[in-house]
Amino acid sequence: MSTGEVVILVTAPTREEAQRIAQLLLERRKAACVNIVPMVDSVFWWQGRLDSGQEVLLIVKTRAALVSQVVQLVRQVHSYTTPEVIALPIISGNEEYLTWIQAETRND
């Protein structure tokens, strides 16, 4: 069973912005790993109407205790008015990997 790790989903408008966000989170030790998935088709409601666009998806592996810091950092550098930052609990997995997430992240 997990000891408090999460996956955080973040979308960005470009690969360059996604890479900047990933680099910031990793340099600040708020994430152990960030996957960048290009070309995600998003369909959503925005300002009262249905909209769509291509985005880049970041999959951030970190600790639950760091979610608020991740949200704050993403909001500081993200170009969207309302960036998507959604944390999902990891309920189970490879215990060695989950321990590695704990070891590679810092809460300061």
Side-chain angles (χ1 to χ4, degrees):
M1 199 61 137
S2 172
T3 59
E5 297 79 23
V6 297
V7 170
I8 300 177
L9 304 177
V10 178
T11 54
T14 66
R15 184 173 182 82
E16 293 75 22
E17 185 166 322
Q19 289 173 325
R20 283 194 305 274
I21 293 168
Q23 190 73 28
L24 175 65
L25 295 176
L26 291 163
E27 286 174 354
R28 299 278 179 94
R29 305 295 280 212
K30 303 308 172 197
C33 175
V34 180
N35 302 114
I36 298 174
V37 183
M39 301 290 284
V40 174
D41 290 325
S42 297
V43 181
F44 50 91
W45 284 99
W46 183 246
Q47 299 180 339
R49 65 183 180 92
L50 198 55
D51 202 348
S52 65
Q54 287 194 329
E55 297 180 293
V56 178
L57 176 65
L58 292 90
I59 305 171
V60 181
K61 275 73 77 162
T62 190
R63 294 189 273 150
L66 298 175
V67 171
S68 63
Q69 293 177 52
V70 170
V71 171
Q72 182 181 26
L73 287 170
V74 170
R75 291 184 71 198
Q76 287 175 6
V77 299
H78 206 291
S79 63
Y80 288 171
T81 305
T82 309
E84 174 185 355
V85 187
I86 300 172
L88 306 171
I90 297 173
I91 59 169
S92 188
N94 177 357
E95 288 300 325
E96 291 171 342
Y97 187 82
L98 301 177
T99 299
W100 173 77
I101 291 172
Q102 291 285 332
E104 295 302 327
T105 54
R106 307 280 183 273
N107 189 3
D108 44 56

